[in-house]
Amino acid sequence: MIVLTGLLVATVVHTPDVVQAATAPPGFTQSTIATDIQNAVGMEVSPDGRLFVLAGNVRRIEIFDDSGYLGNFLELPQAANLGSGLLGLAFAPDFTTSGQVYVSYITDPLDVAGPQRFRLSRYDSDGSSADPSSEQVLFEVNDIDPSQQQHQGGDVGFGPDGKLYWVLGDRVKGTTVAQPLNSLFGKALRLNADGSIPTDNPYYDVLDGDLRAIVGNGLRNPYRMEGHPITGELYMSEVGPTDWEEINQIVVGANYGWPAVSGVVNDPRYTDPVHAYSHDPDGCAITGGAFYIAQNETFPEQYRGDFFYGDHCFGWIEHLDLETGAATRFLTGAHRLVEVKISPVTGALYYLDREYNGDTVGRTGGVGRIQYTSAPAPLTITRQPSDVTASVGETVMFDVQVSGVGPFGYQWQRDGSAIDGEVDVSLDFSATEADDGAVFSVVVNDATGASVTSAGALLSISSNTAPVPVISLPATDLRYVAGESYQFAGSATDAEDGTLDPASLRWEIVFHHDEHTHPFISELAGVSGGTLDIPFNDETAPDVFYRIHLTATDSAGTSVTVSQDVLPKHVQVTLDTEPSGLSLLLDGSPITTPATFTAVAGIERVLEAPAAQTSNGSSWTFASWSDGGARQHAIRTPLEDGSFSATYQLAVEANPEATITSPQAGSLRQAPVRITGDASDDLGVAGVEVVIKKAGTSEYWNGSQFIAGWSRVAAELSDPGSPTTSWSYDFAPPTTTAVKVTVGARDVGGTRGVRTSRNFTATVGSTPVAPEITLDEPAPRSTQANPVTFSGSVVDDDLAGVSLVVKKRGAKEYWNGAGWQPSWAAVEAEVFGDQWTHELTLPAPFDLVVFARATDSTGLRGETAKVVVFVT
């Protein structure tokens, strides 16, 4: 390795600068199945034991078996997405006969019209090659941040119920999307095999449209899913923040807690992982995993049924006993693990490594195979060192791959003589003229004492001189600010060719975070430079940087790569409260003030001050932020050290409050009548009392009948004990009755608030009741941008439809959905349960008079009041 200057490093592009061999327990043999896979991101095993590898940079699914490469299964069009966007693969349950597969990927707007989208599609195949024209798009989600390459998730699999599960990451926006049910990101989705949404999903009757597919929330980056071969239960490897990595079981209705919590917290609000491991001392990012359950289980009994998984940064694999929770280290020494699989046919373990054998320069992936034999495996060199032709000054490398009982020892030789100090799996050095014709070999020893010598590899010194690439921009002392753009540029000279044309140059930029990497600009060829656009809404951790690689190739085909690190500008940010010592949330995670953290200048963070909190016996309510932001708001970290403070004031305790939202005052409602409303209190609502009095009498409802004398009943709360909750009570009188309903809330301390009343009539029998309808949005006399969404509620036992009447203010012209007409007209609204909505797009701005009308099957109508809306 030749150090040029500062952070610049030059290497020969086709050889790794570090090579390390994985080590498994005694009795296990290792072999290499595949190499030179571009940006390996995932792998699935078909029912017949073939390996389907997802090669991200080339957007291709490649097939291998123990003999090696078999062919390409499917290739997607190339994409501008920085993370390549090839996310997941699942075989149909009847794949053996149907050949159908399900593929999750991110579309490219240059290939698929419209915005960038997460797409789940089904393809037909003959089992070995998929037909691209057979694609059936089952489900799509518009991306919320096309510039963001991280936290994509996207794996797909069939659950024990035969449904298709799709998990999506939070796109580094956990605070705003992972918990709320108004976004599909940070969620587990459940679909039928045709992409439709099952009607038994938990939120099917609560949410609208595609949101009804949600069956789990609180996810960060669900990288891979794996089904249990016997039960079919799905387990998810979820990459954590800075503390814990998780294995979660997919449970319908689960909340996995992100960003509020990470790891096992024993909080009844959240579903804990079945296993979590810490970043201390050697944890970083969990990979995919698999259960050791196969037709031919050759591993010893202690491994049977365990879940094997690995860590991407530290290159180890562990096996987990789900019953006892015990996790045991199995393999060490891999480099950038991304997947672990078990063959259902042979019982062998396969691992996918994105930098196989430590190839940190070419960064090519490979598949290793681990198999158990009853007797110690013989020491075998499975890949001999190869002949090399190099120029004077080039770094050359010789390496081997071996199988047997590790750990292994190495001693490299030159022309049959040992080279002092060269005892690693690889040998690298700078070539000189004296090396021409030298033969290099290695003596390998294993744990059993066996020894074997490799074949010799010839080093030929070429008269050609290697090119000299130089990165001229950015400056080596640059410290970047997130959200800014920087130029990068370079050139190369060659002793034989002179100054090389830009066509001989190739660039790659890699984003480094902690101990792992993400592709940023995968390849930019034929130019002398470009622009490095640093996103402001990327990874929030401070231990990040970008590495620029420039490769120059001369006319003789000799390539040399240099690299330069672009480091961030760090600032210290202090969060505090007035009074100090209260709690705040940073990116959804709670902290106690004052707290100071290191951040990249310009990066986006989300600050949140709880609306109310208690400290030292006093209650405090939020008043303001020092920067004038909302209670929850995004900031850009300052360019210099800075602080943000939230001011609180002593809370003035308010009496609990209850309101009635339905039925409407003076209305007729068919019994049984659901009476609903909302209640609030700073301390928490403990109950809502409902008093129903027969009009004109002193008779009160006791829950089953009217009695003489005062009585009350308890409402059902949706979230008892919380500061805000909805409530309901089902009133079923035996006869048609006009009543007065009075409600009052009680807080957790026993205090009762002011009561609210409303009159209505509950009808029994065939008494006709008109629909109740409200127009809630937009507000009367408000100014709205075109298009305008009108919405409200509707209640009727036999609703036929809701229509919206839109009239030009001051003119006898009515909107018919396509244009204005001089006679009365209405447009149909969409109804979802007890809510209705209609989006109105006008050809030109007008002042409008609008009202909504609900009609039941008998022709009875309910109407809202007319409101004026100004459309710009």
Side-chain angles (χ1 to χ4, degrees):
M1 186 173 292
I2 307 170
V3 179
L4 296 183
T5 177
L7 297 172
L8 293 177
V9 176
T11 58
V12 180
V13 70
H14 62 272
T15 58
D17 61 351
V18 177
V19 175
Q20 57 188 52
T23 301
F28 289 85
T29 61
Q30 303 178 55
S31 57
T32 297
I33 300 303
T35 57
D36 298 325
I37 302 173
Q38 298 299 311
N39 190 24
V41 296
M43 178 169 65
E44 295 294 337
V45 184
S46 65
D48 61 5
R50 289 175 298 159
L51 306 175
F52 287 63
V53 176
L54 280 62
N57 278 4
V58 290
R59 304 251 289 184
R60 186 165 61 223
I61 300 174
E62 302 170 350
I63 308 178
F64 301 84
D65 66 7
D66 286 352
S67 67
Y69 174 71
L70 298 179
N72 292 338
F73 180 74
L74 176 66
E75 187 166 351
L76 300 175
Q78 292 301 296
N81 177 268
L82 299 177
S84 82
L86 183 56
L87 306 179
L89 167 70
F91 300 103
D94 62 349
F95 171 76
T96 302
T97 56
S98 72
Q100 290 186 329
V101 295
Y102 295 77
V103 179
S104 165
Y105 67 97
I106 296 178
T107 66
D108 186 345
L110 298 178
D111 175 63
V112 178
Q116 179 171 291
R117 298 187 289 273
F118 283 67
R119 172 179 283 185
L120 178 58
S121 292
R122 182 171 62 202
Y123 290 86
D124 295 331
S125 81
D126 60 4
S128 297
S129 177
D131 178 6
S133 67
S134 70
E135 180 182 18
Q136 292 179 277
V137 179
L138 305 182
F139 205 89
E140 288 188 323
V141 183
N142 287 347
D143 194 3
I144 55 177
D145 189 355
S147 66
Q148 178 58 257
Q149 64 172 343
Q150 299 187 49
H151 296 201
Q152 295 177 349
D155 205 9
V156 58
F158 281 91
D161 53 5
K163 303 301 182 183
L164 191 62
Y165 288 80
W166 194 24
V167 288
L168 298 179
D170 70 358
R171 307 299 277 121
V172 198
K173 298 187 183 330
T175 302
T176 56
V177 305
Q179 285 293 324
L181 298 178
N182 59 2
S183 170
L184 291 168
F185 290 98
K187 306 296 189 301
L189 311 182
R190 179 174 180 261
L191 305 167
N192 292 314
D194 62 0
S196 62
I197 301 174
T199 57
D200 60 346
N201 276 6
Y203 305 113
Y204 190 88
D205 295 326
V206 178
L207 302 177
D208 298 329
D210 289 345
L211 296 175
R212 297 175 301 169
I214 296 174
V215 295
N217 61 323
L219 299 179
R220 182 180 185 268
N221 186 14
Y223 180 63
R224 286 286 169 250
M225 283 192 300
E226 178 72 12
H228 191 285
I230 297 175
T231 67
E233 296 168 330
L234 286 172
Y235 290 82
M236 172 178 55
S237 299
E238 182 164 16
V239 181
T242 58
D243 46 8
W244 296 97
E245 301 299 305
E246 298 181 356
I247 300 172
N248 286 291
Q249 184 179 352
I250 297 288
V251 178
V252 171
N255 182 340
Y256 296 98
W258 176 255
V261 297
S262 178
V264 178
V265 295
N266 296 313
D267 188 324
R269 294 175 297 175
Y270 307 117
T271 299
D272 275 339
V274 298
H275 179 68
Y277 68 87
S278 171
H279 284 201
D280 184 17
D282 60 352
C284 167
I286 193 169
T287 68
F291 289 92
Y292 194 79
I293 298 173
Q295 300 169 19
N296 180 25
E297 295 178 344
T298 59
F299 281 22
E301 183 64 31
Q302 69 196 75
Y303 301 104
R304 307 285 174 83
D306 282 7
F307 186 77
F308 283 76
Y309 63 93
D311 188 88
H312 173 69
C313 308
F314 290 93
W316 50 253
I317 295 175
E318 291 185 338
H319 59 103
L320 169 69
D321 185 329
L322 285 176
E323 293 185 2
T324 66
T328 305
R329 195 64 52 93
F330 175 75
L331 177 142
T332 59
H335 200 71
R336 290 287 183 255
L337 280 170
V338 289
E339 189 72 275
V340 179
K341 290 296 179 185
I342 305 295
S343 170
V345 179
T346 66
L349 181 148
Y350 298 87
Y351 66 90
L352 180 64
D353 194 325
R354 200 167 72 187
E355 295 177 1
Y356 193 73
N357 267 354
D359 183 6
T360 59
V361 178
R363 286 177 294 280
T364 58
V367 179
R369 180 181 188 266
I370 306 294
Q371 182 63 60
Y372 182 77
T373 58
S374 57
L379 177 60
T380 305
I381 296 179
T382 57
R383 188 181 75 187
Q384 301 284 350
S386 300
D387 294 345
V388 172
T389 298
S391 301
V392 172
E394 282 190 30
T395 296
V396 297
M397 189 201 74
F398 298 99
D399 71 336
V400 291
Q401 288 182 358
V402 299
S403 65
V405 180
F408 303 103
Y410 303 89
Q411 176 60 65
W412 284 91
Q413 299 177 333
R414 176 189 173 110
D415 296 329
S417 299
I419 307 174
D420 290 342
E422 296 297 343
V423 291
D424 293 326
V425 69
S426 65
L427 168 69
D428 61 277
F429 56 93
S430 180
T432 67
E433 291 184 2
D435 295 321
D436 188 31
V439 175
F440 295 86
S441 59
V442 62
V443 178
V444 184
N445 301 290
D446 70 2
T448 69
S451 177
V452 64
T453 302
S454 74
L458 175 66
L459 174 58
S460 302
I461 302 301
S462 169
S463 59
N464 178 67
T465 303
V468 180
V470 176
I471 297 176
S472 56
L473 287 177
T476 56
D477 60 353
L478 171 73
R479 295 297 181 266
Y480 73 78
V481 174
E484 299 295 324
S485 296
Y486 302 93
Q487 297 299 310
F488 61 89
S491 59
T493 58
D494 184 78
E496 291 81 14
D497 299 339
T499 300
L500 296 184
D501 188 87
S504 301
L505 305 180
R506 179 172 59 85
W507 299 86
E508 181 185 17
I509 300 179
V510 179
F511 177 68
H512 288 249
H513 168 219
D514 194 11
E515 296 289 336
H516 61 278
T517 63
H518 301 273
F520 191 74
I521 296 178
S522 295
E523 184 170 334
L524 181 65
V527 295
S528 60
T531 302
L532 173 60
D533 296 316
I534 307 288
F536 68 84
N537 55 355
D538 210 338
E539 176 61 52
T540 58
D543 52 345
V544 296
F545 65 92
Y546 293 85
R547 179 166 290 167
I548 302 175
H549 300 268
L550 170 61
T551 301
T553 304
D554 65 15
S555 60
T558 301
S559 295
V560 173
T561 296
V562 294
S563 63
Q564 178 175 323
D565 292 348
V566 184
L567 304 178
K569 180 178 183 180
H570 284 148
V571 295
Q572 299 296 307
V573 181
T574 299
L575 299 182
D576 206 349
T577 56
E578 178 58 43
S580 192
L582 300 180
S583 295
L584 296 173
L585 285 88
L586 173 63
D587 299 326
S589 298
I591 60 171
T592 300
T593 63
T596 300
F597 62 92
T598 302
V600 174
I603 202 73
E604 183 178 83
R605 309 299 293 266
V606 177
L607 304 181
E608 182 177 355
Q613 51 184 306
T614 302
S615 177
N616 296 325
S618 298
S619 296
W620 302 88
T621 58
F622 170 75
S624 64
W625 275 102
S626 57
D627 65 345
R631 189 174 64 81
Q632 182 193 72
H633 68 290
I635 64 164
R636 298 280 294 277
T637 54
L639 301 186
E640 305 296 337
D641 295 351
S643 63
F644 298 84
S645 181
T647 299
Y648 279 77
Q649 57 191 15
L650 278 171
V652 178
E653 187 174 331
N655 288 328
E657 181 180 347
T659 61
I660 303 173
T661 57
S662 178
Q664 295 178 358
S667 63
L668 295 175
R669 298 303 308 140
Q670 191 78 38
V673 181
R674 170 154 287 195
I675 308 171
T676 63
D678 299 303
S680 60
D681 184 79
D682 291 340
L683 297 180
V685 179
V688 171
E689 298 165 348
V690 182
V691 178
I692 304 176
K693 177 180 175 293
K694 186 183 294 186
T697 73
S698 297
E699 296 181 56
Y700 293 82
W701 182 252
N702 70 356
S704 59
Q705 61 183 342
F706 284 99
I707 61 172
W710 187 85
S711 184
R712 68 187 178 199
V713 292
E716 181 178 350
L717 305 185
S718 64
D719 195 6
S722 68
T724 59
T725 180
S726 59
W727 62 265
S728 63
Y729 179 77
D730 292 329
F731 172 49
T735 60
T736 297
T737 310
V739 296
K740 177 181 180 180
V741 176
T742 303
V743 299
R746 172 173 45 84
D747 67 19
V748 294
T751 302
R752 287 180 168 81
V754 178
R755 296 179 176 272
T756 302
S757 299
R758 180 172 291 185
N759 296 318
F760 71 92
T761 299
T763 68
V764 176
S766 59
T767 305
V769 179
E772 288 184 36
I773 185 169
T774 65
L775 175 56
D776 302 326
E777 296 290 343
R781 307 193 68 80
S782 62
T783 300
Q784 301 290 324
N786 195 19
V788 185
T789 298
F790 294 86
S791 63
S793 62
V794 60
V795 178
D796 190 81
D797 297 328
D798 194 17
L799 185 68
V802 172
S803 58
L804 191 69
V805 178
V806 182
K807 175 182 173 295
K808 279 187 186 179
R809 190 181 183 202
K812 291 185 177 180
E813 293 187 61
Y814 295 83
W815 182 253
N816 65 4
W820 298 101
Q821 66 180 50
S823 57
W824 188 92
V827 291
E828 293 299 315
E830 294 184 83
V831 179
F832 304 95
D834 60 356
Q835 300 294 312
W836 67 268
T837 183
H838 180 76
E839 183 177 274
L840 175 67
T841 302
L842 298 176
F846 290 104
D847 296 344
L848 308 177
V849 177
V850 297
F851 68 93
R853 170 180 291 173
T855 307
D856 67 15
S857 60
T858 67
L860 288 175
R861 292 187 210 158
E863 295 183 349
T864 68
K866 296 178 180 178
V867 298
V868 175
V869 178
F870 309 108
V871 180
T872 63

